[in-house]
Structure formats: structure tokens, C-alpha cells
Amino acid sequence: MGGLSPRSSMVNTATGLEQILRRDRLVVLLALSSVVALAAAYTIMGVGMDMSALTMTRMAIEMPGMLMPPAQWSAGYAVKMFLMWWVMMIAMMVPSAAPAILLFSNVARKQQSQATPFLTTWFFLAGYLIAWLLFSLVATALQWAFEKLGLMTGMMEIGTPVIAGAVLLAAGLYQLTPLKKACLRHCQHPVLFVMQRWRPGRSGAFGMGLQHGAYCLGCCWLLMTLLFVGGVMNLLWIAGIAVYVAVEKLAGRWPLLPNAAAIVLTGSGLWLIARAISAI
């Protein structure tokens, strides 16, 4: 008498859970936004380089085609380059991974009756970022090789049109491969990924994040190499690639978008190569 009926208790419990999930999503979203904002600011500042990315972008716009001597590589400079790549990947890729991270947080909350899901969510994010850390190591080594071979200018862009065209062509053709399409499907449908790959605990969260990062890497790694074409620290180029990646991963209703990008990229690559050959 005077107590709540079982039905009312269930309704109250469901309402309470919905409120908690909304609060969790807000907290996780604010945390992700802070991570992206810090990474973006660090990228704009140039990650400790002698020249900020903003300055390099302005120079690229005001003085197109200007050549600068490549930097002299050392252990310290290599570390700076690696940090530049990794921080830039965080700023570019975390926004498009936000739906999967938020979904993981929701499921983690439902799986853990007493503990908050925030810690395991950070382990998921850490695994995701480790995948892009590995890419950043490879990208740093590739940049060093390009500069050592005299293929990259001091503006951190490929200075040989044929090589730049080949990168564009490769990125365009990769858009049409089964591997690209399979990885993109996983990125576009995080619900299926979380349901099929769910692992409990912190190690499980880290492993899931690493797996999701691997799919994301398989989807976007050649798009990231386009930074070598437009300039590794060209903010307009960085923003353009980041926006396209987000649209491609989040707009599943546009299945022909990768094909359209393939046409643009391959066409641009062939045009660059043909123009370079005709000028010989």
C-alpha cells in the first residue's frame, strides 16, 4: 500500500537509465571534443616546429610553387615529425570515430551495473589511437625517405609532379578495392562492430579500440597519404581531407561517394602525370 507497482518501478528504472546514458554521452562527447580541440590547436601551432602550420598555409596560398630547402633530419626532428603526424591524425580521425566511441560507452554502461563506463571508454579510445600511432611511425619514415631522395620540398609536399600524380592515382584506385569497401562498411555501421566484437573489461575495450582503429586505417590510410601531395602542414588540405573522411564514414546513404572520389583522384593523378610528361 502506497508502494510503486512493478510496472511503475520498471518505467522509473528505464527513465533513470536513459538519463544516465544521456549524461554519459554528454561527458564522453565533451571529453572527445576537448581532445580534438587540443590536437587541432597543437597542429596549427606546428608541434614545436620552427614555422607554424598557419604560416606555412599562408605562404602556400600567397606564394604558390615557392621552393624551400628540406629540413635537416636528426633524432629530435624525427620525434617532432612523428608527434606532428600522430597529433594531426587525432584531430582528423577522432571526430569520425565519435559514433563508435559513444556507442561503446552506452553499451559499457549497460554491461556494468555499478561502475561508470568512462575508464573502459578511454581504453577503447587508446586502442583506436594506437592504430594511428603505428600509421604515424610509417608516415614519418616515408617523409624522411622522400626528403632524403630529394622528392619533398621544405613546404612538406612532394615536389615531383609524376610522384604526386602517382599518389593521387593510387589513392583513387584504392577507393574501388574490396578491402576499402569492407573496412568502410565496418566504419559506417558501428552497431554491428560493437555487437559482434564486444569484449568485457579494460583489455577487451583496448582490443576493440585497436580493431576499430585497424578498420579505420584500412579505410583511410591512402587518403592520409594525400597530405604528401597538398602539404603535410597545409591546414586547408588537412581540413579538406578530414571533412571528406567524416562524410564518407558517416554518410552511409551515399554509397557512390567513394566511387565519385575515385574518379576525381584518378583523374587528377593522370592529369598531373600527363602534364609532367608533356613538359619533358
Side-chain angles (χ1 to χ4, degrees), residues 96 99-100 180-193 212 215-216 219 244-258:
S96 62
K180 162 73 180 193
K181 295 182 184 299
C183 291
L184 181 58
R185 279 196 300 272
H186 281 279
C187 293
Q188 290 177 333
H189 302 287
V191 173
L192 293 179
F193 171 79
H212 188 65
Y215 284 125
C216 188
C219 174
Y244 172 78
V245 166
V247 171
E248 184 183 73
K249 291 172 65 177
L250 302 179
R253 296 181 180 179
W254 300 343
L256 296 180
L257 183 60

Side-chain angles (χ1 to χ4, degrees), residues 60-238:
I61 295 173
E62 296 175 354
M63 295 173 283
M66 183 188 66
L67 296 178
M68 292 175 57
Q72 297 297 316
W73 281 70
S74 63
Y77 185 78
V79 170
K80 287 182 180 180
M81 285 296 98
F82 161 70
L83 287 176
M84 178 195 70
W85 274 101
W86 194 30
V87 170
M88 187 163 53
M89 292 303 101
I90 293 173
M92 294 176 72
M93 302 309 302
V94 169
S96 62
I101 298 170
L102 290 171
L103 179 62
F104 175 87
S105 176
N106 284 352
V107 176
R109 159 66 71 183
K110 294 176 180 178
Q111 293 289 329
Q112 301 172 14
S113 57
Q114 72 282 357
T116 64
F118 302 132
L119 186 58
T120 50
T121 301
W122 280 107
F123 273 89
F124 181 90
L125 177 61
Y128 180 82
L129 296 182
I130 288 296
W132 286 103
L133 179 148
L134 298 176
F135 170 83
S136 300
L137 287 173
V138 174
T140 302
L142 190 58
Q143 182 177 341
W144 175 81
F146 278 156
E147 293 196 13
K148 193 170 183 63
L149 293 172
L151 300 176
M152 184 167 284
T153 71
M155 297 296 288
M156 296 188 187
E157 61 184 4
I158 295 174
T160 306
V162 172
I163 303 297
V167 174
L168 284 165
L169 185 60
L173 293 176
Y174 185 73
Q175 290 287 103
L176 305 175
T177 62
L179 179 59
K180 162 73 180 193
K181 295 182 184 299
C183 291
L184 181 58
R185 279 196 300 272
H186 281 279
C187 293
Q188 290 177 333
H189 302 287
V191 173
L192 293 179
F193 171 79
V194 172
M195 295 299 104
Q196 294 173 357
R197 306 284 179 171
W198 180 262
R199 298 291 185 275
R202 298 172 187 175
S203 60
F206 181 84
M208 287 179 65
L210 189 60
Q211 283 186 324
H212 188 65
Y215 284 125
C216 188
L217 187 57
C219 174
C220 303
W221 72 276
L222 261 170
L223 291 174
M224 294 300 109
T225 63
L226 295 178
L227 290 166
F228 288 120
V229 177
V232 174
M233 293 187 70
N234 185 326
L235 294 177
L236 296 178
W237 198 247
I238 293 170

Side-chain angles (χ1 to χ4, degrees), residues 20-93:
I20 292 172
L21 291 177
R22 282 198 294 270
R23 184 202 65 190
D24 286 353
R25 283 196 293 270
L26 179 61
V27 172
V28 172
L29 191 57
L30 288 174
L32 291 178
S33 299
S34 300
V35 169
V36 172
L38 289 172
Y42 200 39
T43 300
I44 293 171
M45 292 167 57
V47 199
M49 305 292 293
D50 295 333
M51 190 182 301
S52 72
L54 190 60
T55 300
M56 294 189 70
T57 303
R58 186 169 62 248
M59 291 173 64
I61 295 173
E62 296 175 354
M63 295 173 283
M66 183 188 66
L67 296 178
M68 292 175 57
Q72 297 297 316
W73 281 70
S74 63
Y77 185 78
V79 170
K80 287 182 180 180
M81 285 296 98
F82 161 70
L83 287 176
M84 178 195 70
W85 274 101
W86 194 30
V87 170
M88 187 163 53
M89 292 303 101
I90 293 173
M92 294 176 72
M93 302 309 302

